[in-house]
Amino acid sequence: MKHKVDLTQGNIAIQLTKVALPIMFTSFIQMAYNLTDMFWIGRLGSGAVAAVGSAGFFIWLGMSIMLCTRIGMEVTVAQSAGKNDSVGMQRFILNGITISILIILVYSILIFMFAPRLIHFFNLGTDVNGFNPTAKGIQYLRILSCCMLFAFMSPCFSAIYNGLGKSKLPFYFNSAGLGLNIILDPLLIYGVWIFPRLEVAGAAIATIIAQVTVIFLFILSFRKNFIFMHKLKNFLTLQKDYCFRIIKIGFPPAVQGVLFASIAIVIARIVSEWGAFTIAAQRLGSQIEAISWLTATGFSTAISAFVGQNIGAGKIDRVWQGYKTGIYIMTGVGLFATALLFLLPQQLYSIFVKDPQTIQAGVGYLTIIAYSQLFMCLEMSTAGAFNGLGKSMPPSIVGVSFNLLRIPGAIFLSSLIGISGIWWSISGTSVLKGIVLVVWFIVYFKKGMNKKNLY
């Protein structure tokens, strides 16, 4: 097997795009899972969207915890590939997978046990147009908790190939899962043909079947390409040095992600004071907004792999050129996303729901969030550059600090101007994060480059 795509030479823009596009498409596939669910569940009413949306916060929380190993593996694999250290690379992969499985199993058990308390936190009520969103949210969350191993390991497996610059395979595997999910969703939600009508539970089961398929494809690929996958005993021994390196890099982004998700949960609780339909509007709006966020994530990962390989190869000037190129590309993406969300909010919401209250609340959300899109893209790209250097702390400090401001900001502004104050709190802090992190990276890199001490 050719273990990596060499990012240490050649045209930078083309290389970044080649790596980023499959990652972006893979991310879009994950978004498409969610949007497909929302499309069919939205026909059941705003209560069903609120039920799935509230449960979705805890899937997001779990994915954030998994950043610890996902980012850690992605960076260590990229740096090992840049040094042509095949043995070290495989050891990082092995230890990363083992840690990931242990974390997922513990989290799954906790979510299953505490699902009722977690969903009751949102105060969704017991009846929305004849639908019980609280009970359905608990049911949905518990079903997914039984198979989180498959859903959460897919991004971790993808990270290994992304670090190698071989981002097409995760795209192919996740595409297969999406296709299966698209077919199963209407069959299981509405009871088409021989299938029972399961409604919200059907969406959860369709997602599980699709994710199991994706993991099966990954395992087949690993068994073919990595020797250690043929020996189960390799997973029973953790190597301290490799585990420490993975966690050291991945822990700050994981803390940032967990706090971000936790803050979003608190914000959602504040939003719920205006009614369950506002929860539906926010969760659906965040899925629509994910068009730009996932594009930025793709380029962030590509920049991380690019920086990691070139730092490993000692090509400092190429690292800076790669960062600038990524920023130029993401500026265009951010401006396009701003125009799309600002000009077409009602049309975007109407695709998924028909409830006038939900659409009205959603239009306000997207219009205000539109102002932050450029700065969010700049923040994500810069975070990828920091991660590639193995310096994941600065993005985490910036993210945590400004995300924490969202809660008092939401409380204060909503007391003055209503629910739109919550949206302004979210948008405003995103703008500040983008500005501060870009300035930090430029100052850090210029100083480190002069001292030849970047990582």
Side-chain angles (χ1 to χ4, degrees):
M1 173 185 176
K2 184 181 179 181
H3 282 303
K4 67 174 182 176
V5 172
D6 191 357
L7 302 177
T8 62
Q9 54 188 344
N11 184 279
I12 294 174
I14 292 175
Q15 286 187 326
L16 283 176
T17 303
K18 280 185 176 180
V19 175
L21 283 177
I23 299 170
M24 287 162 48
F25 291 146
T26 302
S27 299
F28 286 144
I29 287 170
Q30 184 58 53
M31 182 183 73
Y33 275 107
N34 299 330
L35 289 179
T36 299
D37 286 349
M38 289 295 184
F39 178 83
W40 293 110
I41 289 171
R43 269 64 186 160
L44 298 174
S46 295
V49 176
V52 172
S54 60
F57 280 109
F58 300 104
I59 306 302
W60 179 12
L61 181 63
M63 288 289 190
S64 299
I65 294 172
M66 295 311 300
L67 286 173
C68 186
T69 51
R70 183 169 73 81
I71 297 295
M73 282 195 291
E74 197 168 81
V75 173
T76 54
V77 166
Q79 292 183 351
S80 297
K83 298 174 184 177
N84 292 314
D85 181 8
S86 179
V87 174
M89 178 186 68
Q90 295 215 26
R91 287 177 179 171
F92 279 122
I93 293 172
L94 175 63
N95 284 270
I97 291 175
T98 305
I99 298 170
S100 298
I101 292 173
L102 293 174
I103 294 173
I104 295 168
L105 291 176
V106 172
Y107 185 75
S108 299
I109 293 170
L110 292 175
I111 289 296
F112 185 88
M113 290 172 58
F114 293 104
R117 292 186 182 183
L118 296 175
I119 300 300
H120 277 292
F121 174 78
F122 292 101
N123 192 29
L124 299 177
T126 56
D127 187 81
V128 178
N129 297 325
F131 189 93
N132 189 325
T134 299
K136 294 298 183 181
I138 294 169
Q139 180 189 40
Y140 183 84
L141 185 57
R142 276 189 159 164
I143 292 173
L144 287 183
S145 70
C146 293
C147 294
M148 281 181 176
L149 180 64
F150 302 101
F152 288 2
M153 282 306 298
S154 180
C156 292
F157 287 161
S158 296
I160 295 168
Y161 282 113
N162 293 341
L164 295 172
K166 298 173 72 69
S167 52
K168 289 183 180 180
L169 276 175
F171 168 65
Y172 295 146
F173 296 161
N174 282 282
S175 294
L178 173 63
L180 186 58
N181 191 70
I182 290 174
I183 294 171
L184 290 176
D185 252 350
L187 299 179
L188 293 173
I189 292 173
Y190 292 100
V192 179
W193 192 34
I194 61 173
F195 297 91
R197 181 183 175 94
L198 300 176
E199 298 189 348
V200 169
I205 294 170
T207 299
I208 288 170
I209 294 172
Q211 291 293 345
V212 169
T213 302
V214 172
I215 293 300
F216 177 74
L217 293 173
F218 268 118
I219 290 174
L220 288 180
S221 174
F222 281 156
R223 287 184 63 83
K224 178 181 178 181
N225 295 318
F226 296 105
I227 296 174
F228 68 77
M229 287 295 293
H230 294 274
K231 297 180 180 180
L232 182 61
K233 67 179 182 180
N234 289 323
F235 291 94
L236 302 178
T237 303
L238 292 174
Q239 295 165 291
K240 182 175 67 174
D241 292 343
Y242 292 95
C243 291
F244 178 77
R245 177 67 175 163
I246 290 169
I247 294 173
K248 180 182 177 182
I249 293 173
F251 186 73
V255 171
Q256 179 188 356
V258 168
L259 285 174
F260 190 19
S262 301
I263 291 165
I265 291 171
V266 174
I267 294 291
R269 179 63 180 81
I270 298 172
V271 169
S272 70
E273 296 295 328
W274 277 265
F277 72 91
T278 58
I279 291 283
Q282 184 194 20
R283 288 302 294 156
L284 182 53
S286 66
Q287 297 299 328
I288 296 172
E289 181 198 358
I291 294 171
S292 57
W293 187 83
L294 293 175
T295 302
T297 299
F299 268 93
S300 176
T301 304
I303 292 170
S304 177
F306 180 91
V307 170
Q309 286 196 23
N310 281 280
I311 281 290
K315 297 186 176 182
I316 307 301
D317 290 339
R318 187 172 169 82
V319 169
W320 177 246
Q321 292 301 318
Y323 172 69
K324 289 197 301 182
T325 302
I327 287 295
Y328 294 150
I329 294 171
M330 291 313 299
T331 296
V333 172
L335 292 174
F336 174 78
T338 294
L340 180 66
L341 299 185
F342 189 81
L343 297 174
L344 300 173
Q346 184 169 350
Q347 291 85 340
L348 291 171
Y349 263 91
S350 297
I351 296 172
F352 301 97
V353 293
K354 304 301 179 184
D355 177 42
Q357 275 188 311
T358 303
I359 293 174
Q360 183 180 3
V363 168
Y365 175 83
L366 287 185
T367 301
I368 293 171
I369 291 297
Y371 292 101
S372 67
Q373 296 304 293
L374 169 61
F375 301 93
M376 180 274 297
C377 288
L378 297 179
E379 178 203 355
M380 294 293 293
S381 301
T382 305
F386 267 120
N387 290 339
L389 293 175
K391 301 292 183 181
S392 53
M393 188 63 75
S396 300
I397 292 173
V398 172
V400 169
S401 300
F402 287 103
N403 287 339
L404 283 172
L405 288 177
R406 289 183 174 180
I407 295 176
I411 294 172
F412 175 71
L413 292 175
S414 64
S415 68
L416 296 178
I417 57 177
I419 194 170
S420 61
I422 301 175
W423 312 148
W424 278 116
S425 176
I426 296 171
S427 187
T429 51
S430 290
V431 171
L432 292 173
K433 285 192 294 180
I435 294 172
V436 171
L437 194 60
V438 168
V439 172
W440 191 339
F441 182 82
I442 292 172
V443 172
Y444 174 83
F445 192 91
K446 292 299 183 181
K447 286 184 178 180
M449 187 165 58
N450 292 335
K451 297 178 181 179
K452 297 182 179 180
N453 182 31
L454 287 172
Y455 77 111

